[in-house]
Amino acid sequence: MVLIGIWACVVTLASTFGASYWKTHRSAPADAAQHAEKLEVKKVKPITVPIISEGTLKGYISAEFAYVVEASSKAHGGGGAAVDADSYVMDEAFRRLYADNNLDFRRIEKYDLNSLTKELTKSINQRLGADLVRETLVKSFAFVPKDDIPH
């Protein structure tokens, strides 16, 4: 009986030591995980861009964008930041679409959205003076002919 009692005490002590050793040595990878980058997706209001061809209004591009920023970044208006990245995204998207000569409204499905989003991200970051926007995303993109709009 005494041997069983001693055996139970040894097993209990060994398991307690093993658990505490495992817990203290396990915390190092957890610290590394805390330093992992946390990203956040911010949506911006939809924009409507008039498409003018041969001097007449042909219709409108209706587009909605989002952008990815670091969660702790002040680029998205949080924490009393002075920079409103939403406005920059909307302005840059409007300018790009309005001035783009490669945009063929008759074949909108062939438009290179990858190129557009990469250019938007690059130019937004240039205007902000830092790499705050990680990626620009397209939520919706459509051409609405002028004749389809009710008066």
Side-chain angles (χ1 to χ4, degrees):
M1 264 316 210
V2 175
L3 289 176
I4 293 175
I6 294 174
W7 178 78
C9 288
V10 170
V11 169
T12 304
L13 287 173
S15 64
T16 303
F17 175 76
S20 65
Y21 180 84
W22 175 73
K23 188 173 183 177
T24 57
H25 286 79
R26 184 177 158 258
S27 64
D31 290 341
Q34 287 178 346
H35 295 292
E37 188 176 48
K38 294 181 182 169
L39 300 177
E40 190 174 353
V41 177
K42 294 292 187 177
K43 300 174 188 174
V44 296
K45 295 178 184 176
I47 61 170
T48 304
V49 182
I51 301 299
I52 300 170
S53 178
E54 300 170 1
T56 61
L57 177 68
K58 300 296 182 179
Y60 298 90
I61 294 288
S62 175
E64 193 171 356
F65 296 93
Y67 61 97
V68 179
V69 292
E70 190 175 330
S72 64
S73 173
K74 295 182 179 180
H76 50 78
V83 177
D84 179 17
D86 291 10
S87 298
Y88 283 90
V89 172
M90 291 171 54
D91 180 66
E92 202 57 44
F94 187 94
R95 289 172 187 253
R96 293 279 173 176
L97 292 171
Y98 187 77
D100 193 349
N101 293 328
N102 296 327
L103 180 61
D104 182 5
F105 64 92
R106 292 175 292 263
R107 299 188 61 184
I108 199 73
E109 69 276 358
K110 298 292 183 182
Y111 191 65
D112 186 6
L113 292 175
N114 287 334
S115 175
L116 173 69
T117 56
K118 286 178 185 171
E119 289 176 15
L120 285 175
T121 302
K122 181 180 174 185
S123 56
I124 291 164
N125 284 331
Q126 283 177 344
R127 288 179 65 185
L128 291 172
D131 287 339
L132 299 174
V133 176
R134 299 294 174 95
E135 187 175 2
T136 306
L137 309 170
V138 179
K139 290 188 67 184
S140 66
F141 191 86
F143 176 73
V144 181
K146 182 180 94 171
D147 298 336
D148 290 353
I149 299 173
H151 293 92

